[in-house]
Amino acid sequence: MSFRKFFSRIDWSFALICLLSGGSALAVLHREGWPKFFDIFTEDFSLFLEIVPKSIAGTLIGALVRLLVPREVIRQWIGENSGFFGLFIAAFAGILFPAGPFTVFPLAAAFLVAGADRGAAVAFITGWLLLGLNRAVIWEMPFFGFHFVALRSVGAVFMPVLAGWIARSIPLRFVMRGA
């Protein structure tokens, strides 16, 4: 394999994470020594073992949704020609979706591969992040009360659609790997 072909196949975001992780590990090893390094490594490895099944399940859910919902339906409802209505649908779906990032991000990627446009994917993720009903009911209301959550939600209610519209408006070519 040639040098150029090798570097064209590298996932640069993964390479950056590996570089930052390796540099951090070396810094801890240098400053704190082997015992602290192994403590941190074992904690991180147990976290890794906890996350892997969730990531696999989220990816499978995304793939299964892509198989269950026909491509034409996805294109019609949240594709390039769906207009603001498609952005509202995607944002509303994100608000109602009761899962964590290990399911939401693979699902958004599956929607992109299946024919949704980037604006709908951004609206879906932003709706989930800013206005997630599950998080608001379980976490925010017990800590802050209904009035605070309502105030925060009113302030953010148009953000998912606005973010989707901005993402849709930017003249950027976006191609999902494997599409």
Side-chain angles (χ1 to χ4, degrees):
M1 181 181 292
S2 73
F3 186 73
R4 178 178 277 182
K5 188 178 260 190
F6 173 76
F7 281 105
S8 69
R9 293 181 175 264
I10 290 179
D11 180 1
W12 289 104
S13 61
F14 179 71
L16 178 65
I17 294 296
C18 288
L19 185 67
L20 292 172
S21 298
S24 299
L26 289 174
V28 166
L29 182 61
H30 177 70
R31 289 181 62 180
E32 305 293 331
W34 284 103
K36 187 67 171 177
F37 174 82
F38 281 122
D39 286 345
I40 293 171
F41 183 80
T42 54
E43 286 178 30
D44 288 350
F45 189 71
S46 65
L47 178 64
F48 172 77
L49 292 178
E50 185 180 320
I51 288 172
V52 166
K54 295 175 183 179
S55 297
I56 291 171
T59 305
L60 285 173
I61 289 170
L64 292 173
V65 166
R66 189 174 143 221
L67 292 174
L68 291 172
V69 181
R71 184 179 292 259
E72 297 77 31
V73 172
I74 292 175
R75 281 190 187 139
Q76 176 186 356
W77 288 96
I78 57 175
E80 280 185 61
N81 299 324
S82 62
F84 274 104
F85 187 67
L87 297 177
F88 280 112
I89 290 173
F92 189 67
I95 291 167
L96 294 180
F97 203 73
F102 300 108
T103 307
V104 169
F105 295 130
L107 183 60
F111 283 150
L112 285 170
V113 171
D117 75 323
R118 64 178 181 241
V122 167
F124 176 73
I125 292 171
T126 307
W128 171 77
L129 281 169
L130 292 180
L131 299 165
L133 187 62
N134 187 44
R135 183 183 60 248
V137 170
I138 293 172
W139 291 102
E140 293 177 13
M141 282 187 195
F143 282 100
F144 300 110
F146 174 78
H147 295 322
F148 180 85
V149 174
L151 181 65
R152 187 194 63 74
S153 298
V154 166
V157 74
F158 295 110
M159 289 299 145
V161 174
L162 178 63
W165 177 76
I166 290 170
R168 191 180 271 177
S169 301
I170 295 173
L172 173 71
R173 180 158 167 79
F174 179 77
V175 178
M176 275 296 296
R177 290 178 190 208

